[in-house]
Amino acid sequence: MSAFLEVRDLTVTFRVGSALKARLRGEPPPDLTAVDGISFTAERGESIGIVGESGCGKSTLAKAITGLVPVASGSLHLDGNPLTARRDPATMRRIQMVFQDPSSSLNPSLTIERMLSELLNVHRIVPRDAIADRCGELMELVELPRSLLKSRPGRLSGGQRQRVGIARALALEPEVLIADEAVAALDVSVQAPVLNLLNSLREDLGLTLMFISHDLAVVRYVSDRVIVMYLGRAVEDRSTAELFDDPRHPYTRALMAAAPKFGVKKAPGESALKGEPPSALKLPSGCRFRPRCPIAEEICEQTEPDLAGPSPIQRAACHFAWDGHEVRS
Amino acid sequence: MTKRLLEVEDLRITLQAGSGTITPVDGVNLALGRGEALGIAGESGSGKSLTLKSIIGLLPQGAQVEGNLRFALGDESPIPYTSTDVHGRGISIIFQEPMTALNPTMRVGDLIAEGPRIHEGLSKTAARERAVELMRQVGIPAPERRAKMWPHQLSGGLRQRVMIATALSTRPKLLLCDEPTTALDVSIQDQILGLLQEIRINLGMSIIFVSHDLAVLGELCDRLAIMYAGQIVETGPTDDVFTKPNHPYTEALMTSVPSFDATSVKLAGIEGHPPDPRSFPPGCRFSPRCRYAREDCTEADFELVATDADRSSACIHTEVFAEGGR
Ligand SMILES: Nc1ncnc2c1ncn2[C@@H]1O[C@H](COP(=O)(O)OP(=O)(O)OP(=O)(O)O)[C@@H](O)[C@H]1O
Ligand SMILES: Nc1ncnc2c1ncn2[C@@H]1O[C@H](COP(=O)(O)OP(=O)(O)O)[C@@H](O)[C@H]1O
Ligand code: SF4
Ligand code: SF4
Ligand SMILES: [Mg+2]
Ligand SMILES: [Mg+2]
């Protein structure tokens, strides 16, 4: 049987710089490969975390799956059906995204009720006379008082706005919910309730959740499985428990070492990960993590490692990931 | 405590807001020793930035400041000062957003050289050499080449390093850090924290580091001050505060964020949201969100009281809280 969501060799490119200048120089127009041949599958109800440094392609991956940016090559399947560039509204509905900044993605002049009603109406989710009830139910689902339906987004706190953003995504009854840095802009005291909400929604509605964050601790809290991205590639794909227990890719290990931990003092001048990721326009030869890798060897310069391992959710893209390592099943 | 460098006494900042006024910083007391790193933790709007800005005299126009600020410019005890006494001489500041803090119309090298030229009267060439040297010191690769670049041509992490170099260029004794790593990746944050620790130890500098992230503060700071709604509600040595918080808000903050090392116990978070300075709750300002609140909490006068030799708390029910609640 095929997987619920199947992402195969997904590649997304953006045209950057001047195509004309390139043509005058007789070169091909410059393309930036933001997502570079990513493959993974997700089961119904699974929660997958996506982590990686800024610019590694997390949002682009999310937008490609949602249908918000065109795919250069590769394929996407939902429930066995191909997801093409031009999706009909019924297909669009099945995958919804929640964004980082709730205020900029909500129309400030509409009340919450107007916004939700219009959405329910346009997509004909429920009969017209059931719309008001559904708005109330949606508010309950995201644990907001119904009285807030009459408010405009400007009157709400950041945490409340993010809940409205989630309600808006849920209004379309999606099967896949992609949350892109959904709590990053929130005060720390109100992040937890939103994370708990996402966890319970997933359980109650059987949603497949893709949770994107640069914060490993947050990802650990909401995900069954984690995909670590570096420069457009998935470099490790593991169950959450295994990944945190025993990371196999040097990049994952460095990210974990870099995360601040309670009660650990920083040593002067020390850092887990030197330098910054190179530009996606100037990839190093061989393994793209090589210039920053503490254990790189000659082969790393010549051959790019595959994302491989003993099982589909025990994969790491490093020549030495599984050396001398017995994988527990 | 080592010899004092800075004292902030009963700081109160009042600002115009619409037709009325707000007092978003309301009775803050802080003391900082030489070479010490103090962390101020608090959520957005709690008054952290305004507190730092008042210390270096960068408050917005029309701000009214009450209270006493004292700083030790030389080896003597702290004395009252004005912003012109310390600006470019004793205290520097770095911000969260280097792009808005750095003048976009100046080359990076000139930005860093500006302080030494003005305050030490260095020649153009000497100042430029100093800039390159500072860039090297803060870990900017190829400093000669990058000195000629514009701020927007650099990555966020490098821009933050430029800002640090600019701050160090005047050889301050105190570096104020206003969430300088909040906008950065964990990897770059880790690098900047390592750099600040190095600078602090090598140059014997004092630091006040402001952040909403307790774990980040813990990596750098000897002592912590927890801020809520314009007031400091708890202070103490970092490890003690982490091991046993003395204020319900501190405890709540610590159990709000998933910990990197522990698997998921359900996070508590805090009911409601941080209050708006236009309508701070009466009595203990945390009372509407506090799980230990009692009737008399809404009538309590604010006072930060010593609980141990080196610690203080503004909670009037530390006894209940210490027992783990009702
Ligand atoms: N519309 C676009 N045009 C050109 N380049 C783009 C576009 N969108 C993204 N990119 C580039 O693609 C790469 C991946 O970007 P993306 O936004 O997916 O990263 P991200 O992992 O979500 O980063 P962050 O953590 O900062 O959100 C980056 O190099 C980015 O500059
Ligand atoms: N220039 C200003 N005019 C009016 N209100 C301000 C100004 N600067 C800050 N405030 C208000 O003062 C409070 C504290 O602000 P700030 O010190 O920036 O908080 P923090 O740094 O802790 O997030 C906030 O409610 C903020 O909106
Ligand atoms: S393949 Fe080589 S360079 Fe790449 S991560 Fe593994 S050891 Fe490092
Ligand atoms: S004074 Fe009362 S409301 Fe305030 S923190 Fe203490 S117990 Fe909670
Ligand atoms: Mg993104
Ligand atoms: Mg601030």
Side-chain angles (χ1 to χ4, degrees), chain B residues 3 23 30 46 101 117 131 137 146 206 220 259 280 283 309 311 322:
Chain B
K3 263 178 89 181
T23 307
L30 295 170
S46 57
R117 285 191 60 196
Q137 196 180 341
R146 290 219 162 75
S206 304
L220 212 57
S259 145
F280 282 143
R311 303 187 62 178

Side-chain angles (χ1 to χ4, degrees), chain B residues 165-217:
Chain B
T166 310
L168 294 182
S169 70
T170 52
R171 308 177 203 269
K173 290 158 110 177
L174 170 60
L175 182 64
L176 306 175
C177 305
D178 193 355
E179 312 220 24
T181 63
T182 302
L184 303 174
D185 271 314
V186 273
S187 53
I188 313 296
Q189 164 170 282
D190 182 56
Q191 293 173 5
I192 299 288
L193 290 176
L195 171 65
L196 289 173
Q197 190 72 297
E198 178 180 289
I199 290 167
R200 179 192 158 202
I201 287 168
N202 291 353
L203 308 181
M205 216 167 41
S206 304
I207 283 182
I208 302 183
F209 195 105
V210 155
S211 173
H212 62 273
D213 188 333
L214 281 168
V216 166
L217 294 179

Side-chain angles (χ1 to χ4, degrees), chain A residues 96-100 162 165-167 169 177-182 198:
Chain A
Q96 287 297 310
M97 211 165 147
V98 177
F99 297 92
Q100 167 171 357
Q162 195 53 283
I166 296 171
L177 187 68
I178 307 184
D180 190 358
E181 300 278 6
L198 287 171

Side-chain angles (χ1 to χ4, degrees), chain A residues 249-250 287 289-290 293 295-296 300 305 318-320:
Chain A
H249 197 284
C287 173
F289 186 55
R290 178 175 50 82
C293 181
I295 59 164
C300 309
C318 168
H319 293 302
F320 311 113

Side-chain angles (χ1 to χ4, degrees), chain A residues 50-129:
Chain A
I50 312 263
V51 288
E53 285 166 287
S54 182
C56 71
K58 305 180 294 294
S59 299
T60 306
L61 172 65
K63 287 181 191 155
I65 294 173
T66 316
L68 299 176
V69 298
V71 166
S73 65
S75 67
L76 287 163
H77 285 82
L78 186 66
D79 230 356
N81 304 312
L83 294 168
T84 49
R86 291 181 163 262
R87 299 183 193 176
D88 55 77
T91 311
M92 278 303 266
R93 256 178 58 190
R94 302 179 72 184
I95 306 180
Q96 287 297 310
M97 211 165 147
V98 177
F99 297 92
Q100 167 171 357
D101 187 359
S103 36
S104 66
S105 62
L106 299 175
N107 184 338
S109 63
L110 294 186
T111 64
I112 310 305
E113 187 161 38
R114 268 289 293 287
M115 180 196 78
L116 292 176
S117 310
E118 281 183 12
L119 212 55
L120 292 168
N121 187 28
V122 169
H123 289 267
R124 296 170 206 264
I125 308 284
V126 290
R128 222 170 252 264
D129 56 1

Side-chain angles (χ1 to χ4, degrees), chain B:
Chain B
M1 193 185 280
T2 50
K3 263 178 89 181
R4 287 278 171 86
L5 180 69
L6 173 81
E7 291 165 357
V8 175
E9 208 176 81
D10 216 16
L11 177 70
R12 198 162 265 108
I13 303 172
T14 304
L15 299 170
Q16 270 321 309
S19 52
T21 62
I22 53 173
T23 307
V25 173
D26 195 5
V28 161
N29 290 286
L30 295 170
L32 182 74
R34 291 172 196 256
E36 193 177 49
L38 170 74
I40 304 182
E43 294 174 81
S44 68
S46 57
K48 307 180 297 295
S49 297
L50 287 172
T51 301
L52 286 194
K53 285 179 182 163
S54 72
I55 291 172
I56 195 171
L58 284 178
L59 283 177
Q61 284 242 315
Q64 285 175 45
V65 189
E66 290 166 65
N68 300 307
L69 294 169
R70 291 184 288 269
F71 184 74
L73 278 159
D75 290 328
E76 72 295 344
S77 298
I79 50 164
Y81 64 93
T82 63
S83 60
T84 41
D85 295 337
V86 297
H87 226 161
R89 279 161 228 230
I91 310 181
S92 292
I93 187 163
I94 57 176
F95 299 98
Q96 173 174 343
E97 259 310 320
M99 203 50 221
T100 44
L102 296 174
N103 182 345
T105 65
M106 282 173 79
R107 286 175 202 274
V108 166
D110 296 335
L111 270 170
I112 302 171
E114 202 179 18
R117 285 191 60 196
I118 296 174
H119 297 291
E120 293 175 41
L122 288 192
S123 72
K124 238 182 175 160
T125 341
R128 197 166 285 159
E129 271 166 29
R130 164 83 70 82
V132 169
E133 186 42 44
L134 282 160
M135 289 173 74
R136 203 183 318 273
Q137 196 180 341
V138 299
I140 297 176
E144 286 90 356
R145 185 167 60 82
R146 290 219 162 75
K148 298 191 191 92
M149 293 170 86
W150 306 101
H152 76 90
Q153 295 176 305
L154 301 178
S155 69
L158 285 182
R159 277 202 290 264
Q160 195 53 273
R161 286 179 197 268
V162 168
M163 184 137 71
I164 294 172
T166 310
L168 294 182
S169 70
T170 52
R171 308 177 203 269
K173 290 158 110 177
L174 170 60
L175 182 64
L176 306 175
C177 305
D178 193 355
E179 312 220 24
T181 63
T182 302
L184 303 174
D185 271 314
V186 273
S187 53
I188 313 296
Q189 164 170 282
D190 182 56
Q191 293 173 5
I192 299 288
L193 290 176
L195 171 65
L196 289 173
Q197 190 72 297
E198 178 180 289
I199 290 167
R200 179 192 158 202
I201 287 168
N202 291 353
L203 308 181
M205 216 167 41
S206 304
I207 283 182
I208 302 183
F209 195 105
V210 155
S211 173
H212 62 273
D213 188 333
L214 281 168
V216 166
L217 294 179
E219 298 235 335
L220 212 57
C221 302
D222 314 306
R223 292 178 57 78
L224 293 180
I226 314 292
M227 196 160 186
Y228 188 77
Q231 301 170 328
I232 304 286
V233 296
E234 165 159 15
T235 67
T238 306
D239 294 338
D240 298 354
V241 174
F242 284 169
T243 327
K244 187 191 155 298
N246 260 347
H247 193 284
Y249 178 60
T250 315
E251 183 195 58
L253 266 188
M254 291 189 60
T255 52
S256 287
V257 284
S259 145
F260 174 81
D261 332 80
T263 32
S264 56
V265 276
K266 191 166 181 193
L267 293 178
I270 315 180
E271 288 288 304
H273 45 86
D276 186 310
R278 267 168 292 238
S279 52
F280 282 143
C284 170
R285 292 178 180 175
F286 187 53
S287 58
R289 306 175 75 194
C290 179
R291 54 191 284 249
Y292 305 104
R294 311 218 148 172
E295 253 167 44
D296 54 348
C297 293
T298 54
E299 282 145 34
D301 283 330
F302 176 80
E303 198 189 351
L304 191 59
V305 181
T307 53
D308 297 282
D310 212 12
R311 303 187 62 178
S312 62
S313 169
C315 174
I316 60 167
H317 285 305
T318 44
E319 77 299 340
V320 190
F321 168 63
E323 289 155 15
R326 293 169 276 203

